[in-house]
Each structure stands twice: as C-alpha cells, then as structure tokens.
Amino acid sequence: MKEERIHKAYEIARERYAELNVDTEEVLKQLQDFHLSMHCWQADDVAGFEVQAGALSGGIQSTGNYPGKARNIDELRNDILKAKSLIPGTHRLNLHEIYGDFQGKVVDRDEVDASYFQSWMEWGKENNTKLDFNSSSFSHPKSGSLTLSNPDEGIRRFWIEHTRRCREIANAMGEAQGDPCIMNLWVHDGCKDQSVNHYRYRQLLCNSLDEIFEKPQPMMKDCIEGKVFGIGLESFTVGSHDFYTAYAARHNKILTIDTGHYHPTESPADKVSAVLQFVPELMLHVSRPVRWDSDHVTIMDDPTQELFSEIVRAGALNRVHYGLDYFDGSINRIGAYVTGSRAAQKCMTRALLEPTAAISQLELEGKGFQVLALLEECKAMPWNAVYDEFCVRNGVPAGQDFIAEVEQYEHDITSKR
Ligand code: RNT
Ligand code: ZN
C-alpha cells in the first residue's frame, strides 16, 4: 500500500538524516507550524467583487484565459477550500480589499469598512483560517499612475482614506481571530516616461504613509512593499526598494520582499540577513519572475530555495510571514494554487533539513571543501520522503495524487462555470 511505502521511505530517510544529526521528527513539527498566507487573487485573476469593477490596472497583469475562474464570493471560497484540502498543514488567507462581501452594493474605496468583511471573518473562523489583508490601489478610476504620491490633493486624500480604513478592517480581523492580521501596503505609483518630480513624489508618499500609520491599530501589523517597475510605469517607481527599506527601518515597519520585484540578477534571498538587522519582521510575496515580474506559479527553483534557506540559517523562522503572490490565468487555477504552495513547503522542508550548525562549525574552522561537499550532499538527501510523510500525517495526498483530485474538481465544478 502506498502509505506503507511512504512510511518505510520516511524511516530510511530519518536514519539517513540522523547520521547528520538532523532530527526529522523535529522538522515535521516545524513544518506543522509553518503557515503560508495564501493569496486569494490566484482564483480569479485579481478581479475581486466590486460591483463597479473595471479592468485590472496598476501595472500588473494576469495573462491567459483558462476556463473556470471564480466568478463570485462563493465560488472563490469553495476553490480556496479545495486548494487547502490538497496542501498539508494549516494556512492563512490573504485578502485584498476588492474581495469584500459587497452584496451587490456600490461601495467606493473610501467608504469601505469592516462590515463588508464580516462574512469573511466568520468563514475564517468556521474553516480554521486566519486572515491577512491588503489595501487595493489598482483597478479604480482614481488609480491613474499616482495614488498616495499624487500632487492632486483630492486624489491623494482619497487613497489615504482608503488605506486608513483598510488598517481598521485589518485590525478588526486581528481582533476576531485573536492573532494580528498582517496588512500589506503596495501602491503602483510611478511614471511611464521621463519625469523631473521624483523627489516631490517620494516626499508626498512619505507624508501619506506618516498620516496613514498615525493611528495605532494593535491587532494588525503593517508591511510595505516596493518594486522595480510596473507595466506602463517602466521609467520610475515612487515606492522603490530603497524608499521602503529606509522607511521600514526608520519606522519599525515590516518590509515585504516580493521575489518578482528585483532585477533579474539580484538575489531576494540575500536581502533577508541584511534587512533583518534593521526591520522587525519580513513579509514574503513568493512568486516567480520569468524575465520580469510576471507572477508565474512558484516552483522549487534555486532563488526560492535560497530564500527559505536564508531564513532558516538566520534563525528567523518566526520573524517572517509567508505570503504567496502569483496569478496565472493560463492553467487550472486551483492546480496552480496547490503546485505553488506545495513548492514553497518543499523548499522549507529542504531548508529545515539542512545540518546548518555542523556546516557553520566547519566554515568557522576554515574547512571550505567540507562545507561545499556537505551542501552538495544535502541536495540529494531524501528530503522528499519527509515531505511525503508530512502529507500523509496531515491526511493530504502525497506525491502526484493531488493532480487527479484537481482534475475531478474541474470535471465536476470549474468546467461548468
Ligand atoms: C504587484 C505587487 C502586489 C500585487 C498584489 C495583487 O507587483 O506584487 O503585491 O501583486 O497586491
Ligand atoms: Zn507582491
């Protein structure tokens, strides 16, 4: 039987790792405590539920037209539950403001409040899912290319009001779940072409943030996310990495690292040990850039592995929030959710199974060859037997078995939309 085979393989792996003084039972416990914050926007290509919703804007794009995307709140919730049933462990859900339960009412972004998220909070409680939150600056008539940094005071005030209200909503979520809600602030502000007002825009953004963060909201935590460029905003980004890193360091805010937001040869993993010297915590947006911030589904590639390994090596497991951020509309969206989430977990599994203390000791003794050799050996260690065991213990299909379940759900549900 398959489960028996998995247990047998695990027992062999356990012994193999014990030779390196790695306790796989301890790693399984740590994996159980490793919570992803699943991004709700993979299920519907970042559309959301605003009655007045327009096209996706703000320099981001979901490409592909695979059938079956969630069209309303019930479909989205069911899809997320289906995905969660195929991902071992307990995970959070990361909501954008545009995913409120607006009940057919036109609610503008500066009018939103916690009442529109009441049903989400109940859903979270019923489904053992804690919520995180995001303000939404894109896909709105007032989005333009500048929001919180707009010299037009009316527009800037509108977005300040929106973001303040989002912090209140996040705080209400945190209270309802008895655990702080992590709220991410990303705005797309930038310029398509040459501009001579860089200092002015950044000063305005700085002032807006100061106002937004003025009021303490004890049951939520703020994180701020920069990037290099957006589509149609290629020449200048107001909220660049330097801007937000400096802001976060000065104001003790959480910095968000979106792995798709750096120059292609820059390593997001290398930011971890640098910025954690100065900011309290990190939020991740685990994604996969293909040539640019294309938000492809997360896979076990070197940059993702390196990112999780750096977190573990820094002893920073509990200083990081593990959000995902990809939106691929060209393949089965639930399959995309599950594949990406499991890839992130597998990277974490490998990171946790590294005999870091021993390798560190060798490094301090100047034994460079031994360090290199051990790191190479780790790549071929039976980490997957540990991940399979984790799946089985959580009652979730191990290996490729989840593919058939996604296909069944497509056959029964999503293909009929
Ligand atoms: C955009 C940012 C941002 C969005 C989500 C939808 O480049 O990564 O995090 O992807 O808020
Ligand atoms: Zn992001």
Side-chain angles (χ1 to χ4, degrees), residues 41 46 60 96 138 186 225 227 258 261 285 293 325 327:
W41 51 95
V46 211
I60 52 176
H96 244 288
F138 49 86
W186 167 72
E225 177 185 13
K227 71 189 289 190
D258 183 313
H261 286 192
H285 274 189
D293 178 29
D325 185 11
F327 25 102

Side-chain angles (χ1 to χ4, degrees), residues 36-38 92-96 130-134 170 173 177 179-184 283 321-323:
L36 296 169
S37 186
M38 291 170 62
R92 304 171 72 98
L93 181 68
N94 201 2
L95 287 172
H96 244 288
K130 289 178 178 147
L131 304 175
D132 293 320
F133 201 53
N134 299 257
M173 288 175 171
Q177 65 201 17
D179 187 53
C181 167
I182 313 301
M183 184 182 131
N184 189 52
M283 171 71 171
H321 307 277
Y322 300 91

Side-chain angles (χ1 to χ4, degrees), residues 39 41 46 56 58-61 94 96 98-99 134-138 184-188 225-230 256 258-261 285 287 293 295 324-327:
H39 55 313
W41 51 95
V46 211
L56 182 59
I60 52 176
Q61 217 168 58
N94 201 2
H96 244 288
I98 52 174
Y99 288 79
N134 299 257
S135 50
S136 311
S137 70
F138 49 86
N184 189 52
L185 191 162
W186 167 72
V187 292
H188 56 271
E225 177 185 13
K227 71 189 289 190
V228 173
F229 81 100
T256 300
D258 183 313
T259 56
H261 286 192
H285 274 189
S287 181
D293 178 29
D295 294 294
L324 303 169
D325 185 11
Y326 52 81
F327 25 102

Side-chain angles (χ1 to χ4, degrees), residues 38-49 68-84 93-96 98-101 117 119-120 123 127 131 333-334 337 409 413-414 417:
M38 291 170 62
H39 55 313
C40 74
W41 51 95
Q42 164 56 35
D44 73 340
D45 308 343
V46 211
F49 306 127
K69 79 172 168 193
R71 296 165 300 181
N72 53 52
I73 206 161
D74 291 331
E75 290 181 353
L76 187 105
R77 285 174 179 165
N78 290 339
D79 289 0
I80 287 165
L81 289 178
K82 184 70 208 176
K84 279 171 70 93
L93 181 68
N94 201 2
L95 287 172
H96 244 288
I98 52 174
Y99 288 79
D101 189 356
F117 292 87
S119 73
W120 273 116
W123 180 89
N127 294 289
L131 304 175
R333 292 174 184 77
I334 293 145
Y337 253 138
Y409 187 75
I413 314 257
T414 52
R417 288 179 184 162

Side-chain angles (χ1 to χ4, degrees), residues 373-389:
L374 263 180
L375 286 172
E376 281 304 289
E377 284 307 308
C378 286
K379 293 179 183 167
M381 289 284 287
W383 56 267
N384 198 38
V386 179
Y387 185 72
D388 281 350
E389 176 73 12

